[in-house]
Amino acid sequence: MTASRKFLKGNEAVVYGALAAGCRCYFGYPITPQNDIPELMSSEMVKVGGQFVQAESEVGAANMLLGAAACGVRAFTSSSSPGVSLMQEAISYMAGSELPGVIVNMARGGPGLGDIGSSQGDYFQAVKGGGHGDYRCYVLAPATCQEAYDHMIEAFDVAYAWRVPVLVLGDAILGQMKEPVTTWTPDVNADAGKDWRLEGASGRPERLLKSLFLEDGALAGHNAKLQTRYRDMQPLSRLETVGVDDAELVIVAFGTIGRIARSAASQLRKQGHKVGVARPVTLFPFPVAQLQALAVPGRRFLTIEQNCGQMVEDVRLALAGKAEVAFHGHLPGNLPNPDEFIQPILDALAAKA
Amino acid sequence: MHHVLINEERCKGCLLCTVACPKEVLEQSARFNQQGYKVVEVARQDDCTACAACARICPDFAIRVFRKKSAKPKGAKGEQA
Amino acid sequence: MTSINLAALQQEGYTEVATLPEVLADRPMHYCPGCHHGIAHRLVAEALEELGQVERTICVSSIGCSVFIYNYMHLDTVEAPHGRAAAVATGVKRARPDAFVFTYQGDGDLASIGLAESMHCANRGEKLSIVFINNTVYGMTGGQMAPTTLPGQKTTTSPGGRCASTEGLPLKMAEIMAGLGGVAYSARVATTSLKRIVEAKKAIKAAFQCQIDGRGFGFVELLSACPTNWRMTPLQANERVEKELIPYFPLGVFKDDANDPACSVSGGDS
C-alpha cells in the first residue's frame, strides 16, 4: 500500500479511487455535473492500459458495464440523476445476474431535467432498488473527497465479495468541491470472480450469466437467495456519529448534507445546545441497529435532507416507537448552507419541551 | 447404398428436408411421435446421394446421413470444409 | 426407420456426412416446427468450430425466441437486456480483447429497441460479430409488427397489414450497417435451401474472420421463416422467404473490406 497526498475534486477522486482499485474499464456519457469523470478517464484509463468508451447513451454505458462485469473485470460507469434513471434497466439485470458493477451518481436536481445543482432526490431510487424486481444495490454516500476516493475502493471490493451492483451516491457539491485527498493503493484480489467470470469455456464446462428463470420454482429460489444475501450484508452498514453522547437532539443526514449539518451542529454546540449528528455512510444496508442504539429516552431526532423527505422514512422505520423523528427538507434548486439549518434545528429542539 | 437416419423423437414434421432433398428421398410418414408431430421418413433410400442437404436444413438436427465408403464421393456438397 | 444400428453402420464402412458440431448441445430445441433458428444455430456452431474459436468464445444472447441459445451451445454466455446485446458485447470485448465475442439477435431486439446500441457498436468498429435473425415479426411475444415487417404484412398489431404511410417501411439493416464506417463486413443471406445455407455459412465465417483479424465489426443478417406467427405451414413459410422477403431484402454482401482496402478501419483493439 502506497500513500500520497493530492488536491482533488470529488469527481477526480472518484476516478483515481477507481483506478487504484484496479478498475480497467470505464463507460460513460456526458451529463453535468459529473463530466470531469469521463473527461479525466479518457486519458487516465489509457495510461493504465484500460478501456475507455464514450457510450451512445447511459443505457449503452450501463450495459457495457454489465458486459465487462460478466467477464470479472473491474469496471464502472458514472452519471447524474437523469442518466442514472436510464441505467436502471441494466442495474436490475446486473442484480438479477449477480454481476459486480459499480455505478456513480453525482446527483442533480429533479424531477425531470431539474437543474444541475446538488440534490438528494435520488435516495429512493438508489436504496429501494430503482429498477424493476426485488433487488438492492449496496449504496455508499460519500461526504468528502477523501470518502469519494475511499468509497470507490470499497465499492469494488463489496461488489466482488457479494456479487451485487454497488452505487456510490454523491451530488453536485461533492463532485465539484476540491479537497486534499490521501491516495492509496489497496491489494486487489485478482482471484475474485474466477469461479464464475466469462473468459471462454476452455478446459472447463461453459458458464452462463443470466437473470431469466422460467423453470418451476427457479425464480422463487433465486429471489430467496438474493434476499438472504441482502440480509447477510446488514453488518456492513455504517453510521458516523459526532457529539451524540449527551445530545438532546440527533440530526440524521447523509452525504454532503450530513457534513453541512455537522457545521450547523458545531455552531449550536458553541451556543450551548446539545446537538449531535449521525451520518449514515452506507444507505443500503441502512444502519438500523446503530440508529436504534442512539434512541435513548427523551432524545429527539431531526432528519435533514436535500429533498422533500426520503431517507426520513427509513429513519422513522428504524426508530419506530422509540423516538420522535422530525424532518427538514432543503429543497433541491437552492444551494444549502449551514445557517439555513440553524432555525429548523432549534425548532426541533424546542419541540421537546 | 447410403443411409439416412431420422431421429423421429426430434423430428417436428416441418418437412423442410423433403424439399431440400434433390432426389425426393424423404417424405412425410403416417406416424406421429410422442410430441404429436407427424414425422418424416426415408421413402427412397436407394436414390440418396449422401449430399446431406436434409441434415443441414433440418432445424432440429434430427437427420444424420451416412455415406458408404466405397461409393464415389460425387454430390458431396454438404460435407464440411 | 430408426432400427438401423449406428455402430453397425460404422463397422460396415459408412462415414457420417455433415456431422454435428460438438459445441452444439445434444438436446431437443424449443423452437416451433420449421423455424430457421436451428439452422442458423448450426451454422454459427460450424463456423466457430471451423475457425477454431470455440474455447475463446463469449456469446451474448438477446431477448426473443433465441434467448435460449445458451441451452443449445456449450459456450460461455451472458444474457443481455432486450436490445442491449451490442452494448453488452462491447463491454465484454473491451474487458476481454482476446475473446471471440458474438451476439445473436432478432429483428425486434436489434432493429427496434436496440437500434442505437447496434448501430453505435458497429460505427465504433468494435471487434465483434453480430448474427441478426430477421423473420419480420416479434416471435416470442406472439407475432407483433417488427421494424422489418413487410408492407401489407398482417401481424397481431397490424391486423390490416403494415401501412407504409403510418408505420413506415421495413429497415434494411444489412445495407444500413454497410454504410457505417466501423463495419468491416455486412451481408444478408437466407437458409431456405442447401445452396443458400452454404452461402450463409460463408458469410458468417467471413464476418467472424473480421473479428479474428482485428479488422472491425462483422454483421450477417439471416432471413428466416416464422411459420407460427406467419400463420403458415413450414413449407409455405420457407417459400415466403424466397418469394416475398428476398425481393424486398436482397441477398448479398454489402460491404467487405477484405475486397476493398478503402473501407478498412484502423486495426488494433485499443
Side-chain angles (χ1 to χ4, degrees):
Chain A
M1 185 192 291
T2 53
S4 68
R5 198 107 165 121
K6 280 183 181 159
F7 196 52
L8 297 175
K9 278 168 95 167
N11 282 336
E12 295 167 342
V14 162
V15 168
Y16 290 113
L19 292 172
C23 174
R24 288 300 174 266
C25 287
Y26 171 83
F27 312 101
Y29 184 86
I31 184 171
T32 308
Q34 60 82 57
N35 293 317
D36 311 285
I37 300 176
E39 285 170 4
L40 189 57
M41 264 302 180
S42 68
S43 54
E44 293 300 295
M45 188 55 100
V46 175
K47 288 183 196 162
V48 298
Q51 294 282 325
F52 167 86
V53 181
Q54 180 167 328
E56 59 275 11
S57 67
E58 290 89 347
V59 175
N63 281 286
M64 290 173 195
L65 172 64
L66 187 158
C71 298
V73 170
R74 289 186 168 212
F76 91 103
T77 184
S78 65
S79 189
S80 182
S81 308
V84 176
S85 292
L86 284 175
M87 294 180 175
Q88 295 304 322
E89 170 194 60
I91 297 172
S92 170
Y93 276 77
M94 275 190 276
S97 309
E98 301 174 77
L99 295 179
V102 174
I103 304 102
V104 174
N105 180 2
M106 287 300 179
R108 58 187 259 179
L113 208 47
D115 68 5
I116 57 169
S118 75
S119 162
Q120 296 186 323
D122 298 354
Y123 176 90
F124 281 153
Q125 186 193 59
V127 307
K128 304 296 181 189
H132 59 284
D134 283 303
Y135 74 93
R136 300 302 180 107
C137 298
Y138 184 75
V139 184
L140 286 158
T144 65
C145 293
Q146 183 67 54
E147 274 191 343
Y149 186 93
D150 297 346
H151 283 186
M152 288 307 289
I153 293 169
E154 179 182 347
F156 283 104
D157 287 344
V158 170
Y160 274 82
W162 295 85
R163 289 185 67 180
V164 293
V166 174
L167 235 153
V168 178
L169 181 62
D171 59 24
I173 299 174
L174 180 72
Q176 297 305 318
M177 73 184 176
K178 211 160 184 176
E179 292 184 302
V181 173
T182 302
T183 60
W184 55 286
T185 305
D187 294 325
V188 173
N189 177 11
D191 284 344
K194 76 170 183 188
D195 55 340
W196 56 262
R197 65 192 178 203
L198 305 187
E199 53 209 349
S202 178
R204 58 157 174 78
E206 68 271 21
R207 291 172 178 168
L208 172 59
L209 296 170
K210 61 162 186 163
S211 61
L212 178 64
F213 296 91
L214 289 181
E215 305 80 8
D216 197 25
L219 182 62
H222 184 62
N223 268 312
K225 176 174 133 185
L226 292 180
Q227 292 303 315
T228 302
R229 183 173 311 170
Y230 303 145
R231 273 194 297 278
D232 290 347
M233 289 172 74
Q234 189 61 44
L236 300 181
S237 68
R238 296 205 299 283
L239 183 74
E240 182 197 75
T241 56
V242 179
V244 293
D245 293 344
D246 65 341
E248 291 170 16
L249 179 79
V250 171
I251 301 164
V252 187
F254 73 95
T256 51
I257 297 297
R259 199 166 162 182
I260 296 167
R262 199 165 141 181
S263 298
S266 129
Q267 281 183 41
L268 288 168
R269 274 271 169 194
K270 285 173 193 155
Q271 297 164 23
H273 299 287
K274 291 183 176 171
V275 179
V277 175
R279 179 173 70 90
V281 177
T282 58
L283 301 182
F284 185 89
F286 197 66
V288 173
Q290 297 93 318
L291 277 170
Q292 283 175 349
L294 295 179
V296 297
R299 182 177 284 168
R300 294 181 57 81
F301 289 78
L302 169 67
T303 301
I304 302 181
E305 301 175 68
Q306 193 179 13
N307 58 36
C308 300
Q310 299 192 18
M311 182 181 72
V312 63
E313 293 189 5
D314 286 333
V315 177
R316 283 174 177 153
L317 274 174
L319 300 178
K322 294 189 172 177
E324 287 288 309
V325 180
F327 172 71
H328 172 67
H330 184 87
L331 292 177
N334 298 327
L335 202 66
N337 95 45
D339 296 341
E340 290 172 302
F341 292 173
I342 299 290
Q343 197 53 50
I345 296 170
L346 290 173
D347 290 347
L349 268 170
K352 184 192 173 193
Chain B
M1 187 177 74
H2 309 300
H3 262 295
V4 177
L5 294 190
I6 312 286
N7 180 345
E8 291 195 358
E9 281 315 309
R10 289 278 169 90
C11 177
K12 290 178 183 154
C14 74
L15 306 181
L16 289 182
C17 55
T18 62
V19 292
C21 175
K23 300 288 184 185
E24 298 180 6
V25 170
L26 301 158
E27 61 184 40
Q28 190 168 37
S29 73
R31 289 184 303 282
F32 291 90
N33 66 13
Q34 285 190 31
Q35 306 295 315
Y37 295 119
K38 206 171 187 184
V39 300
V40 79
E41 68 179 2
V42 181
R44 283 167 286 278
Q45 185 73 79
D46 291 353
D47 294 345
C48 177
T49 64
C51 74
C54 54
R56 301 198 63 194
I57 205 165
C58 176
D60 293 285
F61 319 144
I63 304 177
R64 297 176 72 175
V65 177
F66 294 84
R67 175 186 295 125
K68 182 84 175 165
K69 259 182 191 161
S70 54
K72 279 177 79 178
K74 70 174 178 182
K77 263 186 183 171
E79 207 163 13
Q80 287 179 12
Chain C
M1 299 294 284
T2 50
S3 57
I4 296 163
N5 184 301
L6 264 182
L9 268 179
Q10 275 146 5
Q11 272 181 5
E12 286 166 27
Y14 284 89
T15 48
E16 188 167 4
V17 187
T19 50
L20 270 185
E22 283 177 21
V23 70
L24 281 178
D26 182 23
R27 63 192 299 184
M29 288 193 287
H30 74 290
Y31 299 116
C32 304
C35 167
H36 287 195
H37 269 307
I39 308 171
H41 281 15
R42 181 181 184 141
L43 293 178
V44 168
E46 287 176 359
L48 289 174
E49 282 195 359
E50 289 167 29
L51 295 169
Q53 300 302 309
V54 170
E55 294 199 331
R56 66 181 197 117
T57 292
I58 299 176
C59 168
V60 180
S61 75
S62 65
I63 308 301
C65 293
S66 66
V67 61
F68 294 120
I69 188 171
Y70 47 66
N71 286 338
Y72 310 126
M73 295 213 197
H74 297 301
L75 296 172
D76 271 14
T77 302
V78 56
E79 183 184 83
H82 192 31
R84 318 300 176 216
V88 171
T90 297
V92 170
K93 186 68 180 185
R94 295 299 186 115
R96 293 216 178 279
D98 293 335
F100 180 90
V101 182
F102 78 96
T103 76
Y104 186 102
Q105 302 171 253
D107 40 47
D109 190 272
L110 180 134
S112 186
I113 192 168
L115 189 62
E117 287 78 8
S118 306
M119 287 183 65
H120 281 283
C121 174
N123 195 52
R124 282 191 304 268
E126 297 292 341
K127 287 15 165 225
L128 54 88
S129 318
I130 289 185
V131 178
F132 169 50
I133 307 295
N134 175 4
N135 61 11
T136 75
V137 282
Y138 283 80
M140 187 176 246
T141 48
Q144 293 82 9
M145 184 178 69
T148 48
T149 295
L150 292 179
Q153 182 180 339
K154 289 180 180 176
T155 71
T156 56
T157 51
S158 58
R162 180 176 186 159
C163 170
S165 67
T166 55
E167 288 149 350
L169 289 167
L171 288 174
K172 297 184 177 184
M173 288 313 303
E175 288 89 331
I176 290 171
M177 289 300 197
L180 301 175
V183 175
Y185 183 88
S186 179
R188 183 182 293 114
V189 295
T191 52
T192 47
S193 65
L194 180 62
K195 178 173 160 268
R196 299 260 193 243
I197 289 170
V198 169
E199 285 166 1
K201 181 163 159 192
K202 229 166 83 182
I204 292 172
K205 285 178 81 170
F208 285 4
Q209 193 65 47
C210 293
Q211 177 178 174
I212 296 165
D213 296 344
R215 280 187 284 129
F217 178 92
F219 183 82
V220 184
E221 174 175 347
L222 287 88
L223 299 180
S224 296
C226 181
T228 301
N229 289 304
W230 293 357
R231 313 282 190 262
M232 289 177 172
T233 68
L235 290 182
Q236 288 167 338
N238 203 52
E239 210 172 295
R240 177 176 183 251
V241 174
E242 287 287 333
K243 294 197 168 148
E244 294 181 33
L245 269 62
I246 292 176
Y248 189 90
F249 296 111
L251 304 185
V253 177
F254 298 97
K255 188 173 192 180
D256 184 359
D257 77 348
N259 299 326
D260 180 6
C263 300
S264 79
V265 294
S266 57
D269 273 317
S270 58

